[in-house]
Amino acid sequence: MKTLLVALATLLLSLGASADEFKAAADKALAAGEPAAILKALEKEIYRGNIVAAQHLGFLYRDGKHVKQDYALARKWLEVGASHDWKRLKHKRGLADAQYALGIMLRDGVGGKPDIQQAAKWLHQAAEQGDAQAQVTLAQLHLDGKGIKQDIEQAFVWASIATNWLTEAAKKEAEHIRDLAQKQLNPRQLENAEKLVSTWTAKTL
């Protein structure tokens, strides 16, 4: 019981910390035992408006770590973490990691039916926050045009932007999408897309 109380105290003290710090504290608390009590504490904080707690709970259910894997619950809590207006608390923005993870689950139909339009919505929000994997995935969706309207310019834009953040090994996919998109753009479209890339990059670099 003493170990559990210490774990709970450590977790609660981390609520104002970064997502990575919160994850470390939550994992340490769960490893101390009595996961049901920790999960209850997490849910309590979520209903107080803590979207970092929601994101982490979503990951726990998605990965089946310390809890029975439940993709439906994972989607539920990741959507809370991805949102900016949970419990009427207006956060500046949702969490990019939750947005990306939710987008992938919706794209692949994990935990429910596939929904490409909703997947694109969340991936776009993560991409706007600089998540390079979301940018590449969003670019592929726009290039394929399956489930959403095909938009070759947007495919070029997001694939080009992603190359600024990915490692050399991971750049190949983004570059491939960019090059495929470029071949389908006329000179005017390409010029416009390149301007969008420059504008977005200038805001973030």
Side-chain angles (χ1 to χ4, degrees), residues 99-145:
Q99 291 164 349
Y100 173 67
L102 180 60
I104 294 298
M105 293 185 78
L106 287 163
R107 182 198 65 181
D108 297 342
V110 178
K113 294 181 179 180
D115 190 331
I116 302 300
Q117 290 189 349
Q118 282 296 306
K121 166 192 166 182
W122 293 115
L123 289 168
H124 187 271
Q125 290 188 32
E128 286 285 0
Q129 294 199 65
D131 188 303
Q133 289 300 325
Q135 291 165 354
V136 174
T137 307
L138 184 61
Q140 187 69 65
L141 290 180
H142 282 305
L143 184 67
D144 293 341

Side-chain angles (χ1 to χ4, degrees), residues 10-130:
T10 302
L11 177 61
L12 293 174
L13 286 172
S14 74
L15 292 175
S18 70
D20 287 342
E21 291 169 334
F22 181 86
K23 177 183 182 301
D27 286 346
K28 185 176 181 180
L30 285 162
E34 300 290 340
I38 302 299
L39 294 175
K40 185 175 181 181
L42 282 173
E43 288 195 24
K44 186 175 181 180
E45 286 306 313
I46 292 169
Y47 282 107
R48 289 177 178 172
N50 189 322
I51 61 174
V52 175
Q55 172 180 267
H56 190 59
L57 189 57
F59 287 147
L60 290 175
Y61 280 116
R62 182 197 65 180
D63 300 336
K65 187 175 181 180
H66 302 294
V67 296
K68 183 179 179 180
Q69 194 169 54
D70 189 321
Y71 290 132
L73 282 176
R75 277 171 58 156
K76 171 186 174 180
W77 294 121
L78 284 173
E79 184 169 354
V80 172
S83 302
H84 68 278
D85 58 354
W86 169 243
K87 300 296 286 184
R88 299 181 182 177
L89 296 178
K90 299 296 182 180
H91 302 273
K92 185 177 180 181
R93 59 184 62 181
L95 300 171
D97 286 347
Q99 291 164 349
Y100 173 67
L102 180 60
I104 294 298
M105 293 185 78
L106 287 163
R107 182 198 65 181
D108 297 342
V110 178
K113 294 181 179 180
D115 190 331
I116 302 300
Q117 290 189 349
Q118 282 296 306
K121 166 192 166 182
W122 293 115
L123 289 168
H124 187 271
Q125 290 188 32
E128 286 285 0
Q129 294 199 65

Side-chain angles (χ1 to χ4, degrees), residues 147-188:
I148 61 171
K149 184 179 178 180
Q150 188 180 51
D151 192 327
I152 303 301
E153 283 189 48
Q154 284 296 302
F156 176 88
V157 168
W158 286 117
S160 298
I161 289 170
T163 62
N164 292 317
W165 315 107
L166 295 168
T167 63
E168 289 301 319
K171 276 185 181 180
K172 291 184 179 179
E173 182 182 3
E175 290 172 342
H176 179 64
I177 296 170
R178 180 199 63 196
D179 294 345
L180 287 175
Q182 183 172 343
K183 291 177 182 177
Q184 300 180 55
L185 296 175
N186 62 42
R188 184 176 179 180

